[in-house]
Amino acid sequence: MTIKIYFTFSFVFLAVIVSAQNVLTKDEAVKLALEHNYGIKIATNTVEVADNNQGILNSGYLPSLTGNASATIDVQNSEGELANGETRIADGAETRRYDTSINLNYTLFDGLGRLYNYRRLKEQYLLSELQARETIESTMVQLFSIYYAIAQLSENTDVLEETLTISKDRLRRAGYQFDYGQNTKLDVLNAEVDINNDSISVINIKQQLKNTKRDLNVILGNKRSEEFQVETELNFLLQLDKTILLEKMKLNNVSLLQAESNINISQFDIKTNKAQFLPTVGLIGSYGWNESTNNSPLAFTLQNTNSGVSAGLNLTWNLFDGGSTLTRVKNAEIFLENQKLQKEQILNDIERNFNNAWDDYQNKLLIFQVQENNIVTAQNNFDRTNEKFKLGQVTSIEFRQAQLNLLNAELNRNQAKYDAKLAEITVLQLSGELLNVEL
């Protein structure tokens, strides 16, 4: 191996390695989005808040314990007459008092209001998880839409660059033929016009590709540079069964699950409001200590210290509150009925959307297969036209038409390919299986 061949081989091998290392795979894109996407981060924090709210510290089952302390100083000028008629005067008599206490307050029974509120907080936590899942699913759909848009633009760029290469080769051939008097200057000018048009198409699609990569980087939390490639190989989940997915949709669709969670929360709201019709029984207890000193000669005691423990029960029963509790109960029952109606509406909408998405998926798969077959026809037509063009049996206009037919067939095939994949993702999202399959 000569030095020149060795360095050429080394350069090509290094370029292949660098290109491979700079490919952003779908799995890596999903991982980056889950870790750095701002919408997902906010949703995760919201779940954490709901988790804190459902804890025992926010349940109302724990007692409250308060401590109080005070100190006072009182300075008075006093004059008093004793029983024997003696008069005593105390100037600047000082009285000091120190008090401290610890008080316990615990609700023993509140009509089960705490229990239903605690369960409501648990259900609210589950709802926040579902809302976070909805955010993740929406982000994944947005992620794959942009990711596959980059893949399609990348493939289209290769197709347009290949078209430009063919046009340049045609211009060289037209130039040689003109030099040897085999054609006119018009063929050369036509070839130059076509090169200009193809060059503009390449420039525009490269700019569009850069912009779309920036869009994807925003979804990823700006954790990748703009210089990366994406995977263009697709695997369709052709084993999907409509009946099975429809049943999974009724069980796992995130919108339906949220509607069911809202129904549960409304039921707990009714029970919590009804609990206010029952009495509340509370336990109270305290430990107190106080001390007072008085240096006045008129006082009977110069120092007094007290300490002790007290405990008791109290019962509170709101016998009539003007009907506000009854009104809240009635409104909560109406709201529950609305939640049930809303769930039925969501189910009808999702079933319609699923059927539409499934049919759209099947149609786009069929269109993709037709476009694949069309590529073969367009390629054969171009190859035959190219051979005849070299022999001078077809005009440059006919050659250009065959070239454009092949270009459009390739662009349409790429469009159909990624349209079918995005339609598949929509079906998976509606069925609740988007996060459970390998795309």
Side-chain angles (χ1 to χ4, degrees), residues 31-32 40 43 76 94-95 127 132 134 160 164 167 178 209 238 256-257 290 292 350 352 372 379 385 396 398:
K31 182 175 181 294
L32 288 173
I40 293 179
Q76 298 286 341
E94 185 178 277
T95 302
L127 177 60
E134 182 179 32
L160 290 172
L164 178 59
S167 295
F178 175 74
L209 180 59
L238 300 178
L256 282 176
L257 292 176
N290 62 75
S292 62
I350 291 178
R352 178 204 60 198
E372 284 277 17
Q379 185 67 54
T385 304
S396 60
E398 292 173 321

Side-chain angles (χ1 to χ4, degrees), residues 25 36 63 86 110 113 167 244 254 264 269 280 295-296 304 324 342 351 360 375 419-420:
T25 65
H36 303 290
E86 180 183 357
D110 66 344
S167 295
I244 295 176
V254 68
N264 295 335
D269 286 338
T280 299
N295 63 359
S296 171
N304 183 32
S324 59
Q342 187 175 8
E351 285 183 343
D360 183 59
I375 284 287
D419 282 349

Side-chain angles (χ1 to χ4, degrees), residues 79-114:
E79 178 180 333
E81 182 176 344
L82 301 180
N84 58 6
E86 180 183 357
T87 299
R88 292 185 179 180
I89 298 174
D91 292 330
E94 185 178 277
T95 302
R96 294 175 179 266
R97 182 176 179 85
Y98 306 97
D99 297 280
T100 183
S101 65
I102 298 178
N103 304 298
L104 173 71
N105 196 330
Y106 183 63
T107 301
L108 298 175
F109 177 76
D110 66 344
L112 299 179
R114 285 179 306 180

Side-chain angles (χ1 to χ4, degrees), residues 21-131:
Q21 291 176 342
N22 205 27
V23 173
L24 177 65
T25 65
K26 291 187 289 291
D27 291 339
E28 183 183 357
V30 170
K31 182 175 181 294
L32 288 173
L34 291 175
E35 292 178 355
H36 303 290
N37 180 268
Y38 292 106
I40 293 179
K41 282 184 175 181
I42 293 173
T44 302
N45 289 339
T46 302
V47 173
E48 187 175 350
V49 171
D51 189 23
N52 293 335
N53 289 338
Q54 71 160 348
I56 189 66
L57 297 178
N58 192 46
S59 64
Y61 277 104
L62 298 180
S64 64
L65 193 63
T66 59
N68 299 310
S70 64
T72 60
I73 300 176
D74 186 19
V75 179
Q76 298 286 341
N77 295 325
S78 304
E79 178 180 333
E81 182 176 344
L82 301 180
N84 58 6
E86 180 183 357
T87 299
R88 292 185 179 180
I89 298 174
D91 292 330
E94 185 178 277
T95 302
R96 294 175 179 266
R97 182 176 179 85
Y98 306 97
D99 297 280
T100 183
S101 65
I102 298 178
N103 304 298
L104 173 71
N105 196 330
Y106 183 63
T107 301
L108 298 175
F109 177 76
D110 66 344
L112 299 179
R114 285 179 306 180
L115 175 63
Y116 296 132
N117 186 61
Y118 183 63
R119 292 178 178 176
R120 183 188 188 281
L121 292 173
K122 292 285 186 184
E123 191 66 37
Q124 189 70 44
Y125 170 72
L126 297 178
L127 177 60
S128 68
E129 285 190 323
L130 292 172
Q131 291 169 342

Side-chain angles (χ1 to χ4, degrees), residues 374 378 381 400-410:
N374 192 35
N381 178 61
R400 179 62 176 178
Q401 187 60 51
Q403 183 187 18
L404 292 178
N405 289 340
L406 177 59
L407 172 63
N408 291 330
E410 290 176 330

Side-chain angles (χ1 to χ4, degrees), residues 5 11 13 68 86 142 183 247 260 276 305 309-310 312 328 345 369 373 389 402 407 409 419 431:
I5 296 177
F11 177 78
F13 182 72
N68 299 310
E86 180 183 357
Q142 186 180 15
N183 62 13
E247 292 301 318
E260 183 63 32
Q276 298 180 27
T305 303
V309 177
S310 63
R328 286 194 297 271
Q345 181 183 12
Q369 294 171 359
N373 296 331
F389 182 69
L407 172 63
D419 282 349
S431 64

Side-chain angles (χ1 to χ4, degrees), residues 362-377:
Q362 298 303 312
N363 289 337
K364 287 181 177 176
L365 279 177
L366 180 59
I367 292 173
F368 174 56
Q369 294 171 359
V370 172
Q371 293 293 352
E372 284 277 17
N373 296 331
N374 192 35
I375 284 287
V376 177
T377 304

